Amino acid sequence: LSLCLSSLSFLGIVRSWLFFGDDGAFNLYAEHPTVYRGPDGSYFGYSVDFYQATPDSNTFSVLVGAPKANTSQPGVVEAGAVYYCPWPGLPDSCRQIPFDNSNNRMIKVNGTREPLEFKSHQWFGASVRTHKGKVVACAPLYHWRTVKLSGEKDPVGTCYVAVQNFSAYAEYSPCRTNDPDPEGQGFCQAGFSVDFTKEGMLVVGGPGSFYWQGQVMTAGIAEILNGYSLKAVLRRVPGEKHTRAVAMINSTNLTFIQNFTGEQMASYFGYSVAVTDLNGDGTDDVLVGAPLYMEREMESKPREVGRVYLYLQMAPLTFSKPVALTGTHTFGRFGTAIAPLGDINQDGYNGMLRG
């Protein structure tokens, strides 16, 4: 499929062309771009992915996240949404996908009904991924009322999966557990990042768990769907696995294979990750973004420019020291997004899109 996306999230527009930084550009089908528009102020285009209903289908569409969009959920403000945009399509052809139409679940506390969860401003649609007809979208700023009597609100995050061409939905909130507060999974923000393995297992990143050490959770889509009930607030999915650190792991048993460590505290090292063979040697290389990395021209005047680290795989699971690519614009957050593009200019090497 020769269509890729660049998202202009704050303008509420998605265009079907690509840009490569300030030093050059490579456009795909720029003469007749497909333009999609979403609600103003909704951050339409914050996340995007392609959707193919069945593997043998020749029809593709685009899923667009808008984490500040309003929905029809009663009593919920700016819950966020994901839009289905047919391709090719008209600018206003996108429609909101009904992942969740319910309001906040309630709980009785001392004889009064109070919210159990808080979906307003949860940033649903901040991440969206597809895999062979399966779709997952997440709200990393979703809060819930903890099991404590004080009723504190913890940003555990939550995700929703959709299958069978959006005819069946289920929630997956792996950090909504009895392990609250910063020292546990209370600040997990599950769904900050999300993806599928090649086998179709769901992988959810939770950067805030265990005093922001972060963790990764994996689960099967079938297990998430089977036995799902809206009433099951605390639910452990059969076969679900958790780590207590962020690293390269074996997807089968979650054992550690390789650890990548950032060089600067609070740089958000690991905010984005991409894997592709960049030097054409037949082995995958790893790129890691740190969008809040600060470059110090003078000790008193650090510049927040962002950085991307490239780890070349020299031998099986043996990586080189990182090659650093540093942003040039202050507050540009270089490295917020990284995506492999394949060999789009047919020179024998895979390309990358960095934002």
Side-chain angles (χ1 to χ4, degrees):
L1 180 67
S2 61
L3 171 70
C4 291
L5 296 175
S6 174
S7 61
L8 307 180
S9 57
F10 299 101
L11 299 180
I13 297 175
V14 171
R15 297 181 184 271
S16 60
W17 52 26
L18 277 173
F19 294 98
F20 284 86
D22 297 332
D23 54 351
F26 190 94
N27 296 335
L28 301 182
Y29 205 46
E31 292 80 8
H32 303 285
T34 300
V35 180
Y36 299 109
R37 292 189 178 92
D40 291 341
S42 67
Y43 286 16
F44 179 85
Y46 191 91
S47 61
V48 292
D49 205 357
F50 291 110
Y51 173 69
Q52 187 181 20
T54 59
D56 56 351
S57 172
N58 292 324
T59 302
F60 286 82
S61 54
V62 181
L63 303 185
V64 183
K68 295 190 70 176
N70 277 303
T71 65
S72 59
Q73 294 164 265
V76 179
V77 179
E78 290 187 356
V82 176
Y83 289 82
Y84 176 97
C85 304
W87 183 77
L90 298 175
D92 298 320
S93 61
C94 301
R95 59 179 175 84
Q96 200 174 106
I97 303 171
F99 280 94
D100 178 26
N101 291 322
S102 62
N103 57 356
N104 292 322
R105 283 171 282 198
M106 307 295 286
I107 188 174
K108 276 192 175 182
V109 180
N110 296 326
T112 61
R113 285 170 54 83
E114 295 186 12
L116 175 65
E117 58 187 353
F118 305 86
K119 298 180 181 179
S120 292
H121 313 292
Q122 65 178 350
W123 275 61
F124 181 72
S127 58
V128 59
R129 284 290 184 272
T130 67
H131 181 271
K132 295 182 178 180
K134 300 183 289 288
V135 180
V136 60
C138 300
L141 298 186
Y142 163 92
H143 288 63
W144 87 296
R145 182 189 180 95
T146 65
V147 294
K148 293 185 175 182
L149 292 177
S150 58
E152 296 176 4
K153 294 163 58 177
D154 279 357
V156 293
T158 192
C159 300
Y160 282 81
V161 298
V163 295
Q164 300 172 7
N165 205 19
F166 303 104
S167 63
Y169 302 88
E171 185 187 15
Y172 178 56
S173 187
C175 293
R176 194 169 59 201
T177 66
N178 288 318
D179 192 12
D181 300 324
E183 63 267 23
Q185 293 177 291
F187 284 51
C188 170
Q189 299 177 46
F192 199 90
S193 58
V194 65
D195 212 339
F196 288 95
T197 68
K198 292 181 180 179
E199 295 78 20
M201 290 285 291
L202 182 62
V203 181
V204 178
S209 293
F210 311 117
Y211 278 121
W212 293 273
Q213 293 182 65
Q215 67 172 148
V216 173
M217 289 74 67
T218 66
I221 296 298
E223 287 74 17
I224 293 174
L225 292 165
N226 291 337
Y228 169 70
S229 171
L230 190 64
K231 297 179 180 179
V233 178
L234 295 176
R235 180 194 179 209
R236 185 68 183 265
V237 173
E240 178 185 73
K241 296 178 181 178
H242 291 226
T243 69
R244 288 183 67 106
V246 176
M248 184 183 293
I249 59 175
N250 185 315
S251 62
T252 302
N253 55 18
L254 290 191
T255 56
F256 288 92
I257 298 174
Q258 175 76 32
N259 183 49
F260 299 105
T261 305
E263 62 177 320
Q264 187 180 95
M265 184 178 292
S267 67
Y268 266 44
F269 179 85
Y271 185 101
S272 56
V273 177
V275 177
T276 190
D277 180 9
L278 278 179
N279 57 1
D281 65 353
T283 60
D284 285 334
D285 308 307
V286 177
L287 294 101
V288 180
L292 300 189
Y293 173 85
M294 288 189 179
E295 185 178 58
R296 297 184 180 274
E297 291 181 338
M298 299 172 56
E299 190 63 29
S300 60
K301 293 184 178 180
R303 296 172 62 244
E304 184 185 290
V305 291
R307 176 170 279 188
V308 173
Y309 298 86
L310 167 62
Y311 299 85
L312 294 173
Q313 189 169 182
M314 312 302 293
L317 300 179
T318 300
F319 293 84
S320 68
K321 292 184 178 180
V323 177
L325 309 172
T326 305
T328 57
H329 297 287
T330 303
F331 304 122
R333 297 197 172 187
F334 179 74
T336 297
I338 313 172
L341 300 176
D343 186 8
I344 60 172
N345 61 353
Q346 303 299 305
D347 67 349
Y349 295 93
N350 291 330
M352 295 294 301
L353 175 65
R354 305 177 300 275

PDB file of all heavy atoms in Angstrom, residues 165-199:
ATOM      1  N   ASN A 165     -14.955  -6.646  12.606  1.00  0.00           N
ATOM      2  CA  ASN A 165     -15.330  -5.415  11.917  1.00  0.00           C
ATOM      3  C   ASN A 165     -16.149  -4.491  12.819  1.00  0.00           C
ATOM      4  O   ASN A 165     -17.186  -3.964  12.438  1.00  0.00           O
ATOM      5  CB  ASN A 165     -16.098  -5.718  10.632  1.00  0.00           C
ATOM      6  CG  ASN A 165     -15.968  -4.590   9.624  1.00  0.00           C
ATOM      7  OD1 ASN A 165     -15.072  -3.758   9.705  1.00  0.00           O
ATOM      8  ND2 ASN A 165     -16.885  -4.547   8.680  1.00  0.00           N
ATOM      9  N   PHE A 166     -15.651  -4.308  14.042  1.00  0.00           N
ATOM     10  CA  PHE A 166     -16.237  -3.397  15.028  1.00  0.00           C
ATOM     11  C   PHE A 166     -17.637  -3.815  15.479  1.00  0.00           C
ATOM     12  O   PHE A 166     -18.471  -2.981  15.806  1.00  0.00           O
ATOM     13  CB  PHE A 166     -16.272  -1.959  14.487  1.00  0.00           C
ATOM     14  CG  PHE A 166     -14.927  -1.435  14.090  1.00  0.00           C
ATOM     15  CD1 PHE A 166     -14.571  -1.346  12.756  1.00  0.00           C
ATOM     16  CD2 PHE A 166     -14.002  -1.058  15.046  1.00  0.00           C
ATOM     17  CE1 PHE A 166     -13.332  -0.886  12.375  1.00  0.00           C
ATOM     18  CE2 PHE A 166     -12.748  -0.580  14.682  1.00  0.00           C
ATOM     19  CZ  PHE A 166     -12.414  -0.499  13.340  1.00  0.00           C
ATOM     20  N   SER A 167     -17.877  -5.125  15.548  1.00  0.00           N
ATOM     21  CA  SER A 167     -19.165  -5.607  16.042  1.00  0.00           C
ATOM     22  C   SER A 167     -19.064  -6.127  17.472  1.00  0.00           C
ATOM     23  O   SER A 167     -20.085  -6.393  18.106  1.00  0.00           O
ATOM     24  CB  SER A 167     -19.710  -6.717  15.133  1.00  0.00           C
ATOM     25  OG  SER A 167     -18.852  -7.849  15.141  1.00  0.00           O
ATOM     26  N   ALA A 168     -17.849  -6.282  17.992  1.00  0.00           N
ATOM     27  CA  ALA A 168     -17.658  -6.762  19.360  1.00  0.00           C
ATOM     28  C   ALA A 168     -16.527  -5.969  20.010  1.00  0.00           C
ATOM     29  O   ALA A 168     -15.485  -5.729  19.389  1.00  0.00           O
ATOM     30  CB  ALA A 168     -17.329  -8.254  19.369  1.00  0.00           C
ATOM     31  N   TYR A 169     -16.761  -5.562  21.261  1.00  0.00           N
ATOM     32  CA  TYR A 169     -15.811  -4.729  21.990  1.00  0.00           C
ATOM     33  C   TYR A 169     -15.588  -5.294  23.386  1.00  0.00           C
ATOM     34  O   TYR A 169     -16.456  -5.955  23.959  1.00  0.00           O
ATOM     35  CB  TYR A 169     -16.329  -3.289  22.133  1.00  0.00           C
ATOM     36  CG  TYR A 169     -16.621  -2.592  20.837  1.00  0.00           C
ATOM     37  CD1 TYR A 169     -17.864  -2.693  20.227  1.00  0.00           C
ATOM     38  CD2 TYR A 169     -15.661  -1.787  20.224  1.00  0.00           C
ATOM     39  CE1 TYR A 169     -18.148  -2.033  19.044  1.00  0.00           C
ATOM     40  CE2 TYR A 169     -15.926  -1.123  19.039  1.00  0.00           C
ATOM     41  CZ  TYR A 169     -17.171  -1.246  18.451  1.00  0.00           C
ATOM     42  OH  TYR A 169     -17.449  -0.602  17.285  1.00  0.00           O
ATOM     43  N   ALA A 170     -14.413  -4.997  23.958  1.00  0.00           N
ATOM     44  CA  ALA A 170     -14.133  -5.370  25.341  1.00  0.00           C
ATOM     45  C   ALA A 170     -13.080  -4.424  25.899  1.00  0.00           C
ATOM     46  O   ALA A 170     -12.176  -3.984  25.177  1.00  0.00           O
ATOM     47  CB  ALA A 170     -13.652  -6.815  25.445  1.00  0.00           C
ATOM     48  N   GLU A 171     -13.191  -4.126  27.176  1.00  0.00           N
ATOM     49  CA  GLU A 171     -12.206  -3.266  27.838  1.00  0.00           C
ATOM     50  C   GLU A 171     -11.062  -4.115  28.385  1.00  0.00           C
ATOM     51  O   GLU A 171     -11.267  -5.246  28.833  1.00  0.00           O
ATOM     52  CB  GLU A 171     -12.864  -2.487  28.979  1.00  0.00           C
ATOM     53  CG  GLU A 171     -11.919  -1.476  29.629  1.00  0.00           C
ATOM     54  CD  GLU A 171     -12.510  -0.820  30.867  1.00  0.00           C
ATOM     55  OE1 GLU A 171     -13.520  -1.354  31.392  1.00  0.00           O
ATOM     56  OE2 GLU A 171     -11.973   0.195  31.316  1.00  0.00           O
ATOM     57  N   TYR A 172      -9.858  -3.537  28.376  1.00  0.00           N
ATOM     58  CA  TYR A 172      -8.695  -4.198  28.961  1.00  0.00           C
ATOM     59  C   TYR A 172      -7.926  -3.155  29.764  1.00  0.00           C
ATOM     60  O   TYR A 172      -7.336  -2.234  29.203  1.00  0.00           O
ATOM     61  CB  TYR A 172      -7.810  -4.803  27.873  1.00  0.00           C
ATOM     62  CG  TYR A 172      -6.558  -5.465  28.406  1.00  0.00           C
ATOM     63  CD1 TYR A 172      -6.627  -6.477  29.349  1.00  0.00           C
ATOM     64  CD2 TYR A 172      -5.296  -5.061  27.962  1.00  0.00           C
ATOM     65  CE1 TYR A 172      -5.489  -7.078  29.850  1.00  0.00           C
ATOM     66  CE2 TYR A 172      -4.144  -5.665  28.442  1.00  0.00           C
ATOM     67  CZ  TYR A 172      -4.241  -6.669  29.385  1.00  0.00           C
ATOM     68  OH  TYR A 172      -3.107  -7.265  29.883  1.00  0.00           O
ATOM     69  N   SER A 173      -7.962  -3.280  31.081  1.00  0.00           N
ATOM     70  CA  SER A 173      -7.293  -2.323  31.969  1.00  0.00           C
ATOM     71  C   SER A 173      -6.391  -3.084  32.927  1.00  0.00           C
ATOM     72  O   SER A 173      -6.752  -3.348  34.083  1.00  0.00           O
ATOM     73  CB  SER A 173      -8.337  -1.505  32.740  1.00  0.00           C
ATOM     74  OG  SER A 173      -7.722  -0.473  33.485  1.00  0.00           O
ATOM     75  N   PRO A 174      -5.194  -3.465  32.493  1.00  0.00           N
ATOM     76  CA  PRO A 174      -4.345  -4.365  33.285  1.00  0.00           C
ATOM     77  C   PRO A 174      -3.795  -3.763  34.567  1.00  0.00           C
ATOM     78  O   PRO A 174      -3.353  -4.500  35.449  1.00  0.00           O
ATOM     79  CB  PRO A 174      -3.214  -4.707  32.306  1.00  0.00           C
ATOM     80  CG  PRO A 174      -3.156  -3.537  31.376  1.00  0.00           C
ATOM     81  CD  PRO A 174      -4.576  -3.094  31.210  1.00  0.00           C
ATOM     82  N   CYS A 175      -3.817  -2.428  34.694  1.00  0.00           N
ATOM     83  CA  CYS A 175      -3.269  -1.808  35.901  1.00  0.00           C
ATOM     84  C   CYS A 175      -4.346  -1.373  36.884  1.00  0.00           C
ATOM     85  O   CYS A 175      -4.030  -0.798  37.931  1.00  0.00           O
ATOM     86  CB  CYS A 175      -2.403  -0.606  35.522  1.00  0.00           C
ATOM     87  SG  CYS A 175      -0.895  -1.060  34.635  1.00  0.00           S
ATOM     88  N   ARG A 176      -5.601  -1.643  36.569  1.00  0.00           N
ATOM     89  CA  ARG A 176      -6.690  -1.375  37.515  1.00  0.00           C
ATOM     90  C   ARG A 176      -6.755  -2.568  38.467  1.00  0.00           C
ATOM     91  O   ARG A 176      -7.541  -3.497  38.293  1.00  0.00           O
ATOM     92  CB  ARG A 176      -7.984  -1.180  36.744  1.00  0.00           C
ATOM     93  CG  ARG A 176      -9.131  -0.572  37.566  1.00  0.00           C
ATOM     94  CD  ARG A 176     -10.285  -0.174  36.673  1.00  0.00           C
ATOM     95  NE  ARG A 176     -10.800  -1.315  35.924  1.00  0.00           N
ATOM     96  CZ  ARG A 176     -11.504  -1.226  34.799  1.00  0.00           C
ATOM     97  NH1 ARG A 176     -11.755  -0.047  34.271  1.00  0.00           N
ATOM     98  NH2 ARG A 176     -11.947  -2.297  34.187  1.00  0.00           N
ATOM     99  N   THR A 177      -5.901  -2.516  39.470  1.00  0.00           N
ATOM    100  CA  THR A 177      -5.700  -3.659  40.348  1.00  0.00           C
ATOM    101  C   THR A 177      -5.764  -3.217  41.813  1.00  0.00           C
ATOM    102  O   THR A 177      -6.025  -2.051  42.119  1.00  0.00           O
ATOM    103  CB  THR A 177      -4.331  -4.320  40.082  1.00  0.00           C
ATOM    104  OG1 THR A 177      -3.295  -3.393  40.459  1.00  0.00           O
ATOM    105  CG2 THR A 177      -4.174  -4.686  38.617  1.00  0.00           C
ATOM    106  N   ASN A 178      -5.469  -4.161  42.718  1.00  0.00           N
ATOM    107  CA  ASN A 178      -5.382  -3.858  44.150  1.00  0.00           C
ATOM    108  C   ASN A 178      -3.980  -3.419  44.548  1.00  0.00           C
ATOM    109  O   ASN A 178      -3.604  -3.512  45.721  1.00  0.00           O
ATOM    110  CB  ASN A 178      -5.791  -5.085  44.970  1.00  0.00           C
ATOM    111  CG  ASN A 178      -7.278  -5.352  44.901  1.00  0.00           C
ATOM    112  OD1 ASN A 178      -8.086  -4.431  44.973  1.00  0.00           O
ATOM    113  ND2 ASN A 178      -7.651  -6.614  44.749  1.00  0.00           N
ATOM    114  N   ASP A 179      -3.204  -2.932  43.581  1.00  0.00           N
ATOM    115  CA  ASP A 179      -1.825  -2.512  43.829  1.00  0.00           C
ATOM    116  C   ASP A 179      -1.694  -1.038  43.452  1.00  0.00           C
ATOM    117  O   ASP A 179      -1.043  -0.690  42.462  1.00  0.00           O
ATOM    118  CB  ASP A 179      -0.872  -3.378  42.998  1.00  0.00           C
ATOM    119  CG  ASP A 179       0.581  -3.198  43.418  1.00  0.00           C
ATOM    120  OD1 ASP A 179       0.827  -2.598  44.485  1.00  0.00           O
ATOM    121  OD2 ASP A 179       1.468  -3.633  42.669  1.00  0.00           O
ATOM    122  N   PRO A 180      -2.350  -0.119  44.215  1.00  0.00           N
ATOM    123  CA  PRO A 180      -2.425   1.281  43.812  1.00  0.00           C
ATOM    124  C   PRO A 180      -1.211   2.097  44.223  1.00  0.00           C
ATOM    125  O   PRO A 180      -0.216   1.560  44.711  1.00  0.00           O
ATOM    126  CB  PRO A 180      -3.682   1.768  44.540  1.00  0.00           C
ATOM    127  CG  PRO A 180      -3.668   0.975  45.812  1.00  0.00           C
ATOM    128  CD  PRO A 180      -3.088  -0.369  45.466  1.00  0.00           C
ATOM    129  N   ASP A 181      -1.328   3.437  44.004  1.00  0.00           N
ATOM    130  CA  ASP A 181      -0.322   4.417  44.408  1.00  0.00           C
ATOM    131  C   ASP A 181       0.940   4.309  43.540  1.00  0.00           C
ATOM    132  O   ASP A 181       1.128   3.349  42.792  1.00  0.00           O
ATOM    133  CB  ASP A 181       0.026   4.267  45.884  1.00  0.00           C
ATOM    134  CG  ASP A 181      -1.190   4.469  46.791  1.00  0.00           C
ATOM    135  OD1 ASP A 181      -2.029   5.316  46.440  1.00  0.00           O
ATOM    136  OD2 ASP A 181      -1.288   3.767  47.817  1.00  0.00           O
ATOM    137  N   PRO A 182       1.839   5.293  43.650  1.00  0.00           N
ATOM    138  CA  PRO A 182       3.028   5.298  42.784  1.00  0.00           C
ATOM    139  C   PRO A 182       3.925   4.082  42.954  1.00  0.00           C
ATOM    140  O   PRO A 182       4.564   3.651  41.988  1.00  0.00           O
ATOM    141  CB  PRO A 182       3.758   6.581  43.203  1.00  0.00           C
ATOM    142  CG  PRO A 182       2.710   7.455  43.767  1.00  0.00           C
ATOM    143  CD  PRO A 182       1.738   6.536  44.442  1.00  0.00           C
ATOM    144  N   GLU A 183       3.988   3.518  44.167  1.00  0.00           N
ATOM    145  CA  GLU A 183       4.890   2.383  44.354  1.00  0.00           C
ATOM    146  C   GLU A 183       4.358   1.114  43.706  1.00  0.00           C
ATOM    147  O   GLU A 183       5.091   0.132  43.581  1.00  0.00           O
ATOM    148  CB  GLU A 183       5.129   2.130  45.847  1.00  0.00           C
ATOM    149  CG  GLU A 183       3.896   1.744  46.638  1.00  0.00           C
ATOM    150  CD  GLU A 183       3.213   2.928  47.281  1.00  0.00           C
ATOM    151  OE1 GLU A 183       3.409   4.059  46.795  1.00  0.00           O
ATOM    152  OE2 GLU A 183       2.477   2.736  48.267  1.00  0.00           O
ATOM    153  N   GLY A 184       3.103   1.111  43.310  1.00  0.00           N
ATOM    154  CA  GLY A 184       2.522  -0.039  42.626  1.00  0.00           C
ATOM    155  C   GLY A 184       2.176   0.311  41.191  1.00  0.00           C
ATOM    156  O   GLY A 184       2.977   0.880  40.456  1.00  0.00           O
ATOM    157  N   GLN A 185       0.927  -0.013  40.796  1.00  0.00           N
ATOM    158  CA  GLN A 185       0.487   0.246  39.434  1.00  0.00           C
ATOM    159  C   GLN A 185      -0.482   1.422  39.342  1.00  0.00           C
ATOM    160  O   GLN A 185      -1.112   1.625  38.314  1.00  0.00           O
ATOM    161  CB  GLN A 185      -0.189  -1.011  38.867  1.00  0.00           C
ATOM    162  CG  GLN A 185       0.773  -2.179  38.670  1.00  0.00           C
ATOM    163  CD  GLN A 185       0.068  -3.424  38.180  1.00  0.00           C
ATOM    164  OE1 GLN A 185      -0.700  -4.044  38.903  1.00  0.00           O
ATOM    165  NE2 GLN A 185       0.333  -3.794  36.930  1.00  0.00           N
ATOM    166  N   GLY A 186      -0.558   2.220  40.405  1.00  0.00           N
ATOM    167  CA  GLY A 186      -1.519   3.307  40.448  1.00  0.00           C
ATOM    168  C   GLY A 186      -1.291   4.390  39.417  1.00  0.00           C
ATOM    169  O   GLY A 186      -2.233   5.024  38.961  1.00  0.00           O
ATOM    170  N   PHE A 187      -0.051   4.637  39.052  1.00  0.00           N
ATOM    171  CA  PHE A 187       0.273   5.675  38.071  1.00  0.00           C
ATOM    172  C   PHE A 187       0.718   5.061  36.744  1.00  0.00           C
ATOM    173  O   PHE A 187       1.459   5.663  35.986  1.00  0.00           O
ATOM    174  CB  PHE A 187       1.360   6.608  38.615  1.00  0.00           C
ATOM    175  CG  PHE A 187       0.865   7.589  39.632  1.00  0.00           C
ATOM    176  CD1 PHE A 187       0.126   7.181  40.728  1.00  0.00           C
ATOM    177  CD2 PHE A 187       1.130   8.936  39.497  1.00  0.00           C
ATOM    178  CE1 PHE A 187      -0.344   8.071  41.670  1.00  0.00           C
ATOM    179  CE2 PHE A 187       0.667   9.856  40.430  1.00  0.00           C
ATOM    180  CZ  PHE A 187      -0.077   9.424  41.527  1.00  0.00           C
ATOM    181  N   CYS A 188       0.240   3.871  36.474  1.00  0.00           N
ATOM    182  CA  CYS A 188       0.688   3.061  35.337  1.00  0.00           C
ATOM    183  C   CYS A 188       0.511   3.750  33.990  1.00  0.00           C
ATOM    184  O   CYS A 188       1.374   3.726  33.136  1.00  0.00           O
ATOM    185  CB  CYS A 188      -0.082   1.740  35.350  1.00  0.00           C
ATOM    186  SG  CYS A 188       0.108   0.704  33.898  1.00  0.00           S
ATOM    187  N   GLN A 189      -0.658   4.392  33.768  1.00  0.00           N
ATOM    188  CA  GLN A 189      -0.987   5.000  32.481  1.00  0.00           C
ATOM    189  C   GLN A 189      -0.905   3.973  31.350  1.00  0.00           C
ATOM    190  O   GLN A 189      -0.272   4.202  30.316  1.00  0.00           O
ATOM    191  CB  GLN A 189      -0.085   6.194  32.188  1.00  0.00           C
ATOM    192  CG  GLN A 189      -0.214   7.317  33.209  1.00  0.00           C
ATOM    193  CD  GLN A 189       0.727   8.468  32.957  1.00  0.00           C
ATOM    194  OE1 GLN A 189       0.854   8.936  31.844  1.00  0.00           O
ATOM    195  NE2 GLN A 189       1.410   8.918  33.995  1.00  0.00           N
ATOM    196  N   ALA A 190      -1.549   2.836  31.577  1.00  0.00           N
ATOM    197  CA  ALA A 190      -1.547   1.771  30.572  1.00  0.00           C
ATOM    198  C   ALA A 190      -2.125   2.278  29.253  1.00  0.00           C
ATOM    199  O   ALA A 190      -3.139   2.966  29.220  1.00  0.00           O
ATOM    200  CB  ALA A 190      -2.365   0.581  31.077  1.00  0.00           C
ATOM    201  N   GLY A 191      -1.476   1.916  28.172  1.00  0.00           N
ATOM    202  CA  GLY A 191      -1.915   2.358  26.859  1.00  0.00           C
ATOM    203  C   GLY A 191      -1.204   3.594  26.379  1.00  0.00           C
ATOM    204  O   GLY A 191      -1.487   4.105  25.301  1.00  0.00           O
ATOM    205  N   PHE A 192      -0.255   4.082  27.161  1.00  0.00           N
ATOM    206  CA  PHE A 192       0.613   5.171  26.712  1.00  0.00           C
ATOM    207  C   PHE A 192       1.247   4.777  25.390  1.00  0.00           C
ATOM    208  O   PHE A 192       1.413   5.595  24.483  1.00  0.00           O
ATOM    209  CB  PHE A 192       1.684   5.409  27.770  1.00  0.00           C
ATOM    210  CG  PHE A 192       2.363   6.739  27.685  1.00  0.00           C
ATOM    211  CD1 PHE A 192       1.871   7.837  28.379  1.00  0.00           C
ATOM    212  CD2 PHE A 192       3.493   6.895  26.935  1.00  0.00           C
ATOM    213  CE1 PHE A 192       2.501   9.061  28.315  1.00  0.00           C
ATOM    214  CE2 PHE A 192       4.144   8.128  26.859  1.00  0.00           C
ATOM    215  CZ  PHE A 192       3.644   9.209  27.553  1.00  0.00           C
ATOM    216  N   SER A 193       1.587   3.491  25.282  1.00  0.00           N
ATOM    217  CA  SER A 193       2.010   2.887  24.022  1.00  0.00           C
ATOM    218  C   SER A 193       1.362   1.519  23.927  1.00  0.00           C
ATOM    219  O   SER A 193       1.097   0.876  24.950  1.00  0.00           O
ATOM    220  CB  SER A 193       3.545   2.759  23.952  1.00  0.00           C
ATOM    221  OG  SER A 193       4.023   1.991  25.039  1.00  0.00           O
ATOM    222  N   VAL A 194       1.093   1.050  22.710  1.00  0.00           N
ATOM    223  CA  VAL A 194       0.415  -0.228  22.526  1.00  0.00           C
ATOM    224  C   VAL A 194       0.777  -0.783  21.155  1.00  0.00           C
ATOM    225  O   VAL A 194       1.028  -0.020  20.211  1.00  0.00           O
ATOM    226  CB  VAL A 194      -1.115  -0.065  22.663  1.00  0.00           C
ATOM    227  CG1 VAL A 194      -1.683   0.811  21.552  1.00  0.00           C
ATOM    228  CG2 VAL A 194      -1.817  -1.396  22.701  1.00  0.00           C
ATOM    229  N   ASP A 195       0.839  -2.105  21.053  1.00  0.00           N
ATOM    230  CA  ASP A 195       1.150  -2.733  19.764  1.00  0.00           C
ATOM    231  C   ASP A 195       0.753  -4.198  19.829  1.00  0.00           C
ATOM    232  O   ASP A 195       0.343  -4.713  20.873  1.00  0.00           O
ATOM    233  CB  ASP A 195       2.636  -2.594  19.436  1.00  0.00           C
ATOM    234  CG  ASP A 195       2.890  -2.483  17.932  1.00  0.00           C
ATOM    235  OD1 ASP A 195       2.007  -2.895  17.144  1.00  0.00           O
ATOM    236  OD2 ASP A 195       3.953  -1.993  17.548  1.00  0.00           O
ATOM    237  N   PHE A 196       0.877  -4.871  18.679  1.00  0.00           N
ATOM    238  CA  PHE A 196       0.650  -6.304  18.580  1.00  0.00           C
ATOM    239  C   PHE A 196       1.965  -6.992  18.223  1.00  0.00           C
ATOM    240  O   PHE A 196       2.796  -6.437  17.489  1.00  0.00           O
ATOM    241  CB  PHE A 196      -0.373  -6.618  17.482  1.00  0.00           C
ATOM    242  CG  PHE A 196      -1.786  -6.237  17.819  1.00  0.00           C
ATOM    243  CD1 PHE A 196      -2.304  -5.028  17.406  1.00  0.00           C
ATOM    244  CD2 PHE A 196      -2.600  -7.096  18.536  1.00  0.00           C
ATOM    245  CE1 PHE A 196      -3.611  -4.666  17.695  1.00  0.00           C
ATOM    246  CE2 PHE A 196      -3.909  -6.752  18.838  1.00  0.00           C
ATOM    247  CZ  PHE A 196      -4.419  -5.530  18.418  1.00  0.00           C
ATOM    248  N   THR A 197       2.168  -8.211  18.726  1.00  0.00           N
ATOM    249  CA  THR A 197       3.267  -9.023  18.246  1.00  0.00           C
ATOM    250  C   THR A 197       2.883  -9.602  16.888  1.00  0.00           C
ATOM    251  O   THR A 197       1.738  -9.503  16.448  1.00  0.00           O
ATOM    252  CB  THR A 197       3.571 -10.172  19.218  1.00  0.00           C
ATOM    253  OG1 THR A 197       2.466 -11.097  19.210  1.00  0.00           O
ATOM    254  CG2 THR A 197       3.795  -9.657  20.630  1.00  0.00           C
ATOM    255  N   LYS A 198       3.842 -10.214  16.212  1.00  0.00           N
ATOM    256  CA  LYS A 198       3.557 -10.828  14.920  1.00  0.00           C
ATOM    257  C   LYS A 198       2.501 -11.913  15.041  1.00  0.00           C
ATOM    258  O   LYS A 198       1.759 -12.191  14.094  1.00  0.00           O
ATOM    259  CB  LYS A 198       4.844 -11.400  14.313  1.00  0.00           C
ATOM    260  CG  LYS A 198       5.850 -10.346  13.900  1.00  0.00           C
ATOM    261  CD  LYS A 198       7.102 -10.973  13.292  1.00  0.00           C
ATOM    262  CE  LYS A 198       8.100  -9.905  12.879  1.00  0.00           C
ATOM    263  NZ  LYS A 198       9.344 -10.496  12.312  1.00  0.00           N
ATOM    264  N   GLU A 199       2.436 -12.556  16.212  1.00  0.00           N
ATOM    265  CA  GLU A 199       1.461 -13.615  16.430  1.00  0.00           C
ATOM    266  C   GLU A 199       0.092 -13.065  16.831  1.00  0.00           C
ATOM    267  O   GLU A 199      -0.868 -13.825  16.982  1.00  0.00           O
ATOM    268  CB  GLU A 199       1.949 -14.579  17.522  1.00  0.00           C
ATOM    269  CG  GLU A 199       3.218 -15.358  17.143  1.00  0.00           C
ATOM    270  CD  GLU A 199       4.471 -14.509  17.273  1.00  0.00           C
ATOM    271  OE1 GLU A 199       4.430 -13.472  17.995  1.00  0.00           O
ATOM    272  OE2 GLU A 199       5.489 -14.857  16.651  1.00  0.00           O
TER     273      GLU A 199
END
